[in-house]
Amino acid sequence: MTLTQAQVEHIAALARLELTPEEKASFHQQLSAILDYFAQLQEVDTSDISPEMGEIPAGSSLRLDEPRPGLPLEDLLSNAPQVEDDQFRVPPVFE
Amino acid sequence: MPDPTDLTLMQAVQALRAGELSCRQLVEAYLGRIQRLDAGLEPSLHCFLSLAPESARFQADAADRRLAAWRKDPQADLPPLLGVPLAVKDVLCVAGMPCTCGSRILQDFVPPYHATAVQNLLDAGAILLGKTNTDEFAMGSSTENSAYGVTHNPWDVERVPGGSSGGSAAAVAARLAPAALGTDTGGSVRQPASFCGVTGIKPTYGRVSRYGLVAYGSSLDVVGVLARDAADAAVVFRLIAGRDPLDATSADLPVPSIDTGGQAGGDQPLAGLRIGIPEEYFVSGLQQEVAERVRSAIAALEALGAQPRPVSLPHTQFALPVYYLVAPAEASANLARYDGIRYGMRHEAANLGEVYRRTRGAGFGAEVKRRIMLGTYALSAGYYDAYYGQAQKVRALIRSDFESVFEQVDVIAAPVAPTTAFKIGEHRDDPLSMYLEDVFTLPANLAGVPGLAFPVGFDSQGLPVGMQLMGPHFREDLLFWVAHQYQQITDWHTRQPRLE
């Protein structure tokens, strides 16, 4: 097993994911198998390669930073689970 | 009158202009077929997650009025796809229509704006029938990861249509739409096109705007097209390709015209075309019947004048681990936005951290969680260099494999997937075996090159077999042209499943 149960719980905490005990057990087994398979990547000699070389060159011309009308506030808030006074309502951050 | 759903997209455009058919008749024919095959009694194909029949009828009537005015004044401007119905994968935003991404977490999400690719099609006069099924957030190869149920393959309803654009591919195969938009991050247009016997283009990375596409793996995602043949796919592709000021990664390059106007150049239209056959794609995991059909298709291209020659893409075997580290790493960042605050479902809790954890725990399905976990791990302190960093370096080697090969040949021909469509449930509980289905489509995404899948025959069970052509960056035109020449001398792309 590449991963320990504690690591699975640590990763879930980092990712803000609540997992059921069944999910923890199956992910522990499945992710370990996947990572074992991925170990073959370590065989590849990449000593002459920098990670940036793996990036795909994309369009680079940025549009002008000109003010333009955005979407109406009403539309932007229309999908929010809770809204109050034109703002997103959230539970307390600090208690 | 013959069934309007038998017409290809270009035939429908011509029939509408000639007045042989009204837009309303065409739209009603598709809506009726969807009602019978997709939304009716079991077993239904379940290609669509949502439909927009009222707006489709309204727009069809408006298009008919415009066509009537045009007939009186043929000098007037007419949008190229006026009155043609299309389907859109449910990861692209259409204002006013639900966009679930196949996920519970976006169950009630209705975007307030159009994706640019969608806007381009609407500007061209197209009518949207509805949104098609997808693996959750486009993560999967079968549509089995959709929170709203699997789509059935029209050629055998006990089998998957492929994924993640399985709803779009099955809809085109079952003639529920003449063409559809899909997206391809690791094969999600090409593999379902292959499984359903349709033609699918994964454009060059950066060729098509991704504004309004829900992000999965941002260095890989592209918007593509599924259609009945290469000529139709080329028409839709040209409408969505090009620079978009709203997507900084879209390339500011001209989109060449594509000659699909019949068979040019006598009986040797492909004379001089060099086709590379990569030995790494004809390996032990490849089903024998798939290998045989692909080899006969290559022989057919040779008969048209092309020159096949062996080439090598030596890092092919590493594409799978590279992809399944890079894409989940990007996904883990992209999906951080689903926190239950600004849109999507919220699981109420006493404090903000618990809202995040519970919303995401309840809203995401197993495969999305698995990839978020994998990506979070690959990016986490102590493991970044060994996993994500090494994957990025090997990705550079995969890309340079393609660059060297395209110095020797014009296009590469290879199988799309190692097998034909597999049974629903066949890879359940074994995610790694499902990932292996993507082994031949992942390299093009990692290298950013275009790929086109098209049907080249059937296996002994009557399931479609596809072949893919890959080309240099921004040479989609070459792929369309070669596939079109093949489709001039074969009729695999005109076969249709028996459904009624």
Side-chain angles (χ1 to χ4, degrees), chain B residues 190-244:
Chain B
R190 289 162 289 155
Q191 184 253 23
S194 177
F195 279 15
C196 291
V198 302
T199 300
I201 178 77
K202 168 237 174 290
T204 309
Y205 180 77
R207 179 58 110 177
V208 178
S209 168
R210 299 181 295 177
Y211 178 73
L213 164 64
V214 176
Y216 159 25
S218 298
S219 75
L220 302 152
D221 294 340
V222 286
V223 180
V225 181
L226 297 111
R228 284 182 209 164
D229 59 32
D232 279 0
V235 169
V236 180
F237 162 76
R238 278 190 41 97
L239 290 168
I240 62 172
R243 169 78 181 155
D244 175 15

Side-chain angles (χ1 to χ4, degrees), chain A residues 2-3 7-9 11-19 23 27 29-31 33-35 37-38 40-46 49-51 53-63 68 71 75-82 88-93 95, chain B residues 108-110 112-113 205 243 245-246 248-250 317-318 320-322 324-325 340-344 346 348 350-352 355-358 360-361 364 366 369-370 372-374 376-377 383 386-387 390 392-397 399 431-432 435-436 446-448:
Chain A
T2 305
L3 289 178
Q7 279 177 304
V8 170
E9 290 177 16
I11 302 162
L14 287 175
R16 306 288 185 269
L17 272 180
E18 186 178 68
L19 299 182
E23 284 175 326
F27 287 171
Q29 183 265 323
Q30 291 168 344
L31 295 176
I34 292 166
L35 290 167
Y37 181 81
F38 290 2
Q40 60 176 299
L41 268 191
Q42 310 306 326
E43 299 162 14
V44 187
D45 177 7
T46 54
I49 311 280
S50 68
M53 292 163 74
E55 287 165 19
I56 300 283
S60 53
S61 55
L62 298 176
R63 69 173 186 269
R68 58 189 187 97
L71 290 166
D75 288 357
L76 290 171
L77 294 172
S78 65
N79 281 292
Q82 281 194 39
F88 299 114
R89 187 181 162 81
V90 297
V93 181
E95 290 168 59
Chain B
D108 300 314
F109 177 64
V110 179
Y113 64 94
Y205 180 77
R243 169 78 181 155
L246 298 177
T249 61
S250 66
Q317 70 166 108
F318 301 111
L320 192 137
V322 169
Y324 280 99
L325 288 165
I341 305 302
R342 289 154 300 161
Y343 37 69
R346 177 190 291 189
E348 295 299 344
N351 64 64
L352 197 59
V355 168
Y356 294 159
R357 280 187 287 277
R358 291 201 187 162
R360 293 161 61 79
F364 291 137
K369 287 180 187 168
R370 204 176 283 127
I372 290 174
M373 295 282 289
L374 200 51
T376 303
Y377 179 68
Y383 301 98
Y387 287 106
Q390 177 70 355
Q392 281 290 50
K393 291 178 182 176
V394 179
R395 181 178 183 172
L397 294 171
R399 198 170 87 223
L432 188 56
Y435 297 171
L436 286 162
L446 293 169

